[in-house]
mmCIF file of all heavy atoms in Angstrom:
data_model
loop_
_atom_site.group_PDB
_atom_site.id
_atom_site.type_symbol
_atom_site.label_atom_id
_atom_site.label_comp_id
_atom_site.label_asym_id
_atom_site.label_seq_id
_atom_site.Cartn_x
_atom_site.Cartn_y
_atom_site.Cartn_z
ATOM 1 N N PHE A 1004 15.318 27.977 -59.300
ATOM 2 C CA PHE A 1004 14.797 26.611 -59.281
ATOM 3 C C PHE A 1004 15.868 25.629 -58.809
ATOM 4 O O PHE A 1004 15.612 24.757 -57.972
ATOM 5 C CB PHE A 1004 14.309 26.231 -60.692
ATOM 6 C CG PHE A 1004 13.895 24.803 -60.838
ATOM 7 C CD1 PHE A 1004 12.604 24.399 -60.527
ATOM 8 C CD2 PHE A 1004 14.791 23.848 -61.307
ATOM 9 C CE1 PHE A 1004 12.227 23.073 -60.671
ATOM 10 C CE2 PHE A 1004 14.424 22.522 -61.451
ATOM 11 C CZ PHE A 1004 13.131 22.139 -61.131
ATOM 12 N N ILE A 1005 17.076 25.776 -59.329
ATOM 13 C CA ILE A 1005 18.171 24.873 -58.966
ATOM 14 C C ILE A 1005 18.565 25.058 -57.503
ATOM 15 O O ILE A 1005 18.702 24.082 -56.750
ATOM 16 C CB ILE A 1005 19.385 25.119 -59.886
ATOM 17 C CG1 ILE A 1005 19.038 24.747 -61.329
ATOM 18 C CG2 ILE A 1005 20.595 24.321 -59.404
ATOM 19 C CD1 ILE A 1005 20.097 25.161 -62.334
ATOM 20 N N ILE A 1006 18.730 26.311 -57.083
ATOM 21 C CA ILE A 1006 19.159 26.588 -55.707
ATOM 22 C C ILE A 1006 18.124 26.101 -54.698
ATOM 23 O O ILE A 1006 18.463 25.484 -53.673
ATOM 24 C CB ILE A 1006 19.428 28.094 -55.533
ATOM 25 C CG1 ILE A 1006 20.621 28.525 -56.385
ATOM 26 C CG2 ILE A 1006 19.678 28.430 -54.063
ATOM 27 C CD1 ILE A 1006 20.826 30.017 -56.444
ATOM 28 N N SER A 1007 16.841 26.371 -54.969
ATOM 29 C CA SER A 1007 15.793 25.947 -54.035
ATOM 30 C C SER A 1007 15.684 24.429 -53.973
ATOM 31 O O SER A 1007 15.415 23.864 -52.905
ATOM 32 C CB SER A 1007 14.445 26.565 -54.438
ATOM 33 O OG SER A 1007 14.054 26.148 -55.736
ATOM 34 N N SER A 1008 15.893 23.751 -55.097
ATOM 35 C CA SER A 1008 15.859 22.278 -55.108
ATOM 36 C C SER A 1008 16.980 21.706 -54.255
ATOM 37 O O SER A 1008 16.774 20.764 -53.482
ATOM 38 C CB SER A 1008 15.968 21.751 -56.541
ATOM 39 O OG SER A 1008 14.858 22.133 -57.320
ATOM 40 N N ILE A 1009 18.172 22.267 -54.412
ATOM 41 C CA ILE A 1009 19.321 21.787 -53.632
ATOM 42 C C ILE A 1009 19.093 22.035 -52.143
ATOM 43 O O ILE A 1009 19.332 21.157 -51.312
ATOM 44 C CB ILE A 1009 20.615 22.475 -54.116
ATOM 45 C CG1 ILE A 1009 20.946 22.034 -55.536
ATOM 46 C CG2 ILE A 1009 21.771 22.157 -53.172
ATOM 47 C CD1 ILE A 1009 22.119 22.768 -56.150
ATOM 48 N N TRP A 1010 18.638 23.242 -51.795
ATOM 49 C CA TRP A 1010 18.439 23.581 -50.385
ATOM 50 C C TRP A 1010 17.397 22.682 -49.734
ATOM 51 O O TRP A 1010 17.564 22.242 -48.592
ATOM 52 C CB TRP A 1010 18.007 25.036 -50.268
ATOM 53 C CG TRP A 1010 17.755 25.470 -48.850
ATOM 54 C CD1 TRP A 1010 18.696 25.775 -47.913
ATOM 55 C CD2 TRP A 1010 16.487 25.623 -48.208
ATOM 56 N NE1 TRP A 1010 18.089 26.124 -46.720
ATOM 57 C CE2 TRP A 1010 16.731 26.031 -46.874
ATOM 58 C CE3 TRP A 1010 15.165 25.464 -48.630
ATOM 59 C CZ2 TRP A 1010 15.706 26.278 -45.970
ATOM 60 C CZ3 TRP A 1010 14.141 25.705 -47.725
ATOM 61 C CH2 TRP A 1010 14.416 26.109 -46.414
ATOM 62 N N LYS A 1011 16.343 22.372 -50.441
ATOM 63 C CA LYS A 1011 15.242 21.615 -49.836
ATOM 64 C C LYS A 1011 15.456 20.104 -49.858
ATOM 65 O O LYS A 1011 15.133 19.414 -48.882
ATOM 66 C CB LYS A 1011 13.925 21.935 -50.549
ATOM 67 C CG LYS A 1011 12.691 21.290 -49.900
ATOM 68 C CD LYS A 1011 11.431 21.665 -50.621
ATOM 69 C CE LYS A 1011 10.196 21.159 -49.887
ATOM 70 N NZ LYS A 1011 10.164 19.701 -49.700
ATOM 71 N N GLU A 1012 16.002 19.561 -50.936
ATOM 72 C CA GLU A 1012 15.958 18.119 -51.135
ATOM 73 C C GLU A 1012 17.312 17.420 -51.070
ATOM 74 O O GLU A 1012 17.361 16.205 -50.900
ATOM 75 C CB GLU A 1012 15.293 17.808 -52.479
ATOM 76 C CG GLU A 1012 13.844 18.296 -52.552
ATOM 77 C CD GLU A 1012 13.216 18.042 -53.906
ATOM 78 O OE1 GLU A 1012 13.973 17.756 -54.859
ATOM 79 O OE2 GLU A 1012 11.975 18.130 -54.028
ATOM 80 N N ALA A 1013 18.403 18.154 -51.242
ATOM 81 C CA ALA A 1013 19.712 17.500 -51.309
ATOM 82 C C ALA A 1013 20.070 16.802 -50.001
ATOM 83 O O ALA A 1013 20.638 15.708 -50.007
ATOM 84 C CB ALA A 1013 20.796 18.513 -51.675
ATOM 85 N N GLY A 1014 19.741 17.413 -48.875
ATOM 86 C CA GLY A 1014 20.079 16.813 -47.588
ATOM 87 C C GLY A 1014 19.405 15.476 -47.366
ATOM 88 O O GLY A 1014 20.025 14.515 -46.901
ATOM 89 N N TRP A 1015 18.115 15.410 -47.727
ATOM 90 C CA TRP A 1015 17.387 14.154 -47.552
ATOM 91 C C TRP A 1015 17.909 13.075 -48.495
ATOM 92 O O TRP A 1015 17.876 11.896 -48.175
ATOM 93 C CB TRP A 1015 15.900 14.386 -47.788
ATOM 94 C CG TRP A 1015 15.065 13.173 -47.599
ATOM 95 C CD1 TRP A 1015 14.478 12.403 -48.563
ATOM 96 C CD2 TRP A 1015 14.707 12.562 -46.346
ATOM 97 N NE1 TRP A 1015 13.789 11.364 -47.996
ATOM 98 C CE2 TRP A 1015 13.913 11.435 -46.638
ATOM 99 C CE3 TRP A 1015 14.998 12.869 -45.011
ATOM 100 C CZ2 TRP A 1015 13.391 10.624 -45.641
ATOM 101 C CZ3 TRP A 1015 14.488 12.042 -44.019
ATOM 102 C CH2 TRP A 1015 13.692 10.941 -44.334
ATOM 103 N N GLY A 1016 18.426 13.487 -49.648
ATOM 104 C CA GLY A 1016 18.957 12.518 -50.602
ATOM 105 C C GLY A 1016 20.197 11.802 -50.116
ATOM 106 O O GLY A 1016 20.578 10.765 -50.662
ATOM 107 N N THR A 1017 20.843 12.347 -49.082
ATOM 108 C CA THR A 1017 22.055 11.710 -48.564
ATOM 109 C C THR A 1017 21.752 10.487 -47.704
ATOM 110 O O THR A 1017 22.669 9.723 -47.401
ATOM 111 C CB THR A 1017 22.864 12.711 -47.721
ATOM 112 O OG1 THR A 1017 22.072 13.145 -46.601
ATOM 113 C CG2 THR A 1017 23.262 13.931 -48.551
ATOM 114 N N VAL A 1018 20.493 10.305 -47.316
ATOM 115 C CA VAL A 1018 20.149 9.207 -46.398
ATOM 116 C C VAL A 1018 20.546 7.855 -46.990
ATOM 117 O O VAL A 1018 21.209 7.031 -46.342
ATOM 118 C CB VAL A 1018 18.643 9.231 -46.075
ATOM 119 C CG1 VAL A 1018 18.242 8.005 -45.265
ATOM 120 C CG2 VAL A 1018 18.279 10.501 -45.319
#
Side-chain angles (χ1 to χ4, degrees):
F1004 173 86
I1005 295 171
I1006 294 171
S1007 61
S1008 296
I1009 293 174
W1010 179 77
K1011 185 179 187 301
E1012 298 177 345
W1015 182 254
T1017 61
V1018 173

